[in-house]
Amino acid sequence: MVSKALLRLVSAVNRRRMKLLLGIALLAYVASVWGNFVNMRSIQENGELKIESKIEEMVEPLREKIRDLEKSFTQKYPPVKFLSEKDRKRILITGGAGFVGSHLTDKLMMDGHEVTVVDNFFTGRKRNVEHWIGHENFELINHDVVEPLYIEVDQIYHLASPASPPNYMYNPIKTLKTNTIGTLNMLGLAKRVGARLLLASTSEVYGDPEVHPQSEDYWGHVNPIGPRACYDEGKRVAETMCYAYMKQEGVEVRVARIFNTFGPRMHMNDGRVVSNFILQALQGEPLTVYGSGSQTRAFQYVSDLVNGLVALMNSNVSSPVNLGNPEEHTILEFAQLIKNLVGNGSEIQFLSEAQDDPQKRKPDIKKAKLMLGWEPVVPLEEGLNKAIHYFRKELEYQANNQYIPKPKPARIKKGRTRHS
Ligand SMILES: NC(=O)c1ccc[n+]([C@@H]2O[C@H](COP(=O)([O-])OP(=O)(O)OC[C@H]3O[C@@H](n4cnc5c(N)ncnc54)[C@H](O)[C@@H]3O)[C@@H](O)[C@H]2O)c1
């Protein structure tokens, strides 16, 4: 009796224990399932976050491209005048992506003409005219004028030719070809389509002049076998070609003898006095003067030149016309002025004189004044400040790892110089 009661008591305790154990096991199971579930969710959420950020990474450049595209659709061009069909001209500018050519492009586009720029980008840059790309009046053609060109135009501004000594001396044969064959090709085009052609000639046709200032009837003093001859003689023969086409074929020609010009979009490091001095002053380097610095130059601001070119093209003056600023300064004065305007405290350093460097250069612009009603109006300091501003921006651009080409040294065959 006692033992039976004892047994019942024990089994009741066991059952309770069993229930308790079962309850605990159940709780543990639920807890582990919940834990797994929570774990899985956080892994999933993490994964989702990672995928989302990956997608974001890939989509961002696309978004940027869309923004750029949208911008290009709504691109604001500089203001362009409306010209009626009768007044609107189809104008070709060879070398139009260069320093002077790009400013001329701006003027003619803003005046409402249709402008085609032809350039082989030897010294020119697309960047100089990129603000017109896409405009209905503008066309940019990558073409070398040494090859013939077949297009329909009313006027041709023939500017294609390297203009600074390091650039035209880099490949003298190519400089000769551009100024001779290139000019023949453009005159041939002018003859075929009945267009008027303006040649961008140069004060270098006067060489190292024996008369001062130089007027258009001076024949010049050029060394035909010196390092500058490829350019000087190239331009002289280009002028000869213009007048041969005028006399023999009746082509209407205009010849601008351009004197030193400066302004924004000049080449960095092209070895010309103004760009040299500005760059050196901005970088805190010594301003290098070749010789004693007493040789003189007269510089015109690029907008003055562009106005002169357009006035000459639309005039009835077919003989050569000087376009330049007669305000003459010594190289040393230029160095001092630029040094003061930049205000970087650079020194002036004197180096030995360059070969065939003209001692004096000053245009006589009586003819331009009388026959075109043209004369330069931009004061030197105002022009220099604009050029300094441009070069400062270009240096910042360069600092942001943008590539700005340096002038290449002249091509010289091993063992003998080109000009020996
Ligand atoms: N800037 C001056 O002080 C100055 C002075 C006198 C004359 N000029 C004359 O004015 C014109 C323009 O001078 P710039 O200062 O603008 O020089 P630049 O070097 O900036 O421009 C010349 C342009 O012609 C292009 N070009 C060169 N060879 C070519 C070829 N074979 N085919 C097609 N394009 C070619 C170049 O890529 C460049 O865009 C030149 O003919 C130059 O002789 C300039």
Side-chain angles (χ1 to χ4, degrees):
M1 211 47 199
V2 174
S3 63
K4 260 189 187 173
L6 208 62
L7 267 174
R8 241 182 265 135
L9 186 68
V10 168
S11 68
V13 168
N14 273 351
R15 247 184 275 139
R16 234 176 264 147
R17 220 181 249 168
M18 284 298 289
K19 274 185 192 159
L20 197 66
L21 279 173
L22 266 174
I24 290 171
L26 198 69
L27 268 178
Y29 175 72
V30 169
S32 87
V33 168
W34 178 250
N36 277 349
F37 174 72
V38 169
N39 247 354
M40 293 263 291
R41 273 202 65 150
S42 83
I43 287 170
Q44 197 179 343
E45 274 170 9
N46 264 346
E48 274 168 11
L49 273 180
K50 272 187 192 153
I51 290 169
E52 261 172 35
S53 73
K54 266 254 164 335
I55 292 174
E56 194 60 26
E57 246 172 54
M58 286 155 73
V59 165
E60 190 45 36
L62 295 176
R63 278 208 196 104
E64 217 163 274
K65 273 192 186 150
I66 292 170
R67 275 196 293 269
D68 284 351
L69 269 176
E70 278 171 353
K71 245 193 246 162
S72 73
F73 282 132
T74 54
Q75 188 174 357
K76 293 264 177 298
Y77 297 104
V80 168
K81 264 191 223 157
F82 174 77
L83 282 184
S84 66
E85 191 87 22
K86 161 175 84 64
D87 298 322
R88 193 167 62 234
K89 295 204 164 55
R90 297 161 305 167
I91 301 177
L92 165 64
I93 306 177
T94 72
F99 159 51
V100 176
S102 62
H103 287 280
L104 180 62
T105 301
D106 289 351
K107 159 108 182 112
L108 295 172
M109 281 294 296
M110 293 201 276
D111 283 352
H113 297 290
E114 288 172 22
V115 175
T116 300
V117 162
V118 160
D119 205 295
N120 71 348
F121 300 106
F122 174 55
T123 50
R125 289 190 300 176
K126 220 178 194 176
R127 236 178 103 209
N128 289 344
V129 288
E130 70 179 354
H131 46 286
W132 293 115
I133 290 174
H135 193 285
E136 59 183 356
N137 286 354
F138 181 75
E139 183 83 49
L140 177 61
I141 304 177
N142 186 340
H143 176 86
D144 193 312
V145 293
V146 169
E147 302 298 328
L149 178 72
Y150 301 99
I151 58 171
E152 303 300 315
V153 286
D154 306 308
Q155 292 186 340
I156 303 170
Y157 287 86
H158 180 38
L159 273 62
S161 164
S164 74
N167 290 328
Y168 65 65
M169 287 181 201
Y170 166 67
N171 186 346
I173 297 171
K174 179 67 198 224
T175 302
L176 278 166
K177 282 186 182 169
T178 297
N179 279 298
T180 54
I181 304 171
T183 303
L184 277 181
N185 282 333
M186 291 308 115
L187 284 163
L189 172 66
K191 178 188 155 194
R192 186 177 69 77
V193 299
R196 182 180 287 179
L197 179 140
L198 180 146
L199 172 73
S201 185
T202 169
S203 56
E204 299 285 338
V205 298
Y206 300 126
D208 191 0
E210 297 142 313
V211 301
H212 193 71
Q214 298 82 49
S215 63
E216 291 83 352
D217 49 16
Y218 175 54
W219 289 358
H221 180 226
V222 175
N223 174 0
I225 55 167
R228 292 167 171 258
C230 58
Y231 181 68
D232 302 4
E233 297 290 17
K235 289 286 187 186
R236 283 166 72 94
V237 79
E239 287 194 10
T240 310
M241 287 169 174
C242 286
Y243 293 108
Y245 264 79
M246 184 176 93
K247 283 176 196 133
Q248 195 176 319
E249 304 291 349
V251 172
E252 283 191 64
V253 297
R254 304 286 179 264
V255 173
R257 291 192 180 149
I258 303 170
F259 282 67
N260 285 333
T261 307
F262 74 98
R265 302 192 199 137
M266 279 180 97
H267 305 268
M268 304 276 284
N269 310 315
D270 76 354
R272 284 193 260 195
V273 180
V274 173
S275 50
N276 259 8
F277 285 165
I278 295 179
L279 264 185
Q280 289 168 334
L282 283 173
Q283 292 174 311
E285 290 169 4
L287 276 61
T288 48
V289 170
Y290 294 91
S292 65
S294 58
Q295 62 273 46
T296 64
R297 292 290 182 274
F299 288 100
Q300 69 182 326
Y301 188 66
V302 65
S303 60
D304 282 334
L305 169 63
V306 163
N307 290 335
L309 291 173
V310 174
L312 176 60
M313 173 65 104
N314 297 310
S315 74
N316 53 10
V317 186
S318 58
S319 54
V321 177
N322 286 343
L323 294 177
N325 191 328
E327 196 185 304
E328 195 181 8
H329 295 272
T330 66
I331 295 287
L332 196 56
E333 280 166 6
F334 272 115
Q336 241 127 21
L337 180 58
I338 291 172
K339 183 170 123 86
N340 294 343
L341 289 176
V342 173
N344 253 7
S346 299
E347 300 289 303
I348 293 179
Q349 190 183 6
F350 293 90
L351 301 176
S352 54
E353 210 167 299
Q355 193 191 340
D356 288 349
D357 194 22
Q359 284 308 305
K360 280 183 163 193
R361 194 49 78 59
K362 173 183 168 169
D364 176 336
I365 58 165
K366 278 192 220 91
K367 187 170 174 183
K369 272 189 189 168
L370 187 74
M371 306 192 79
L372 309 179
W374 173 90
E375 66 182 313
V377 293
V378 179
L380 180 64
E381 269 200 38
E382 187 185 318
L384 281 176
N385 275 326
K386 286 185 183 166
I388 290 168
H389 175 76
Y390 169 79
F391 276 92
R392 193 170 269 132
K393 288 256 168 269
E394 281 296 281
L395 283 174
E396 281 169 21
Y397 190 75
Q398 200 173 22
N400 293 336
N401 296 324
Q402 299 291 337
Y403 173 66
I404 293 175
K406 291 209 170 219
K408 299 158 188 130
R411 281 158 46 128
I412 292 172
K413 271 203 174 167
K414 269 190 193 156
R416 67 187 170 92
T417 63
R418 288 257 158 187
H419 310 290
S420 55

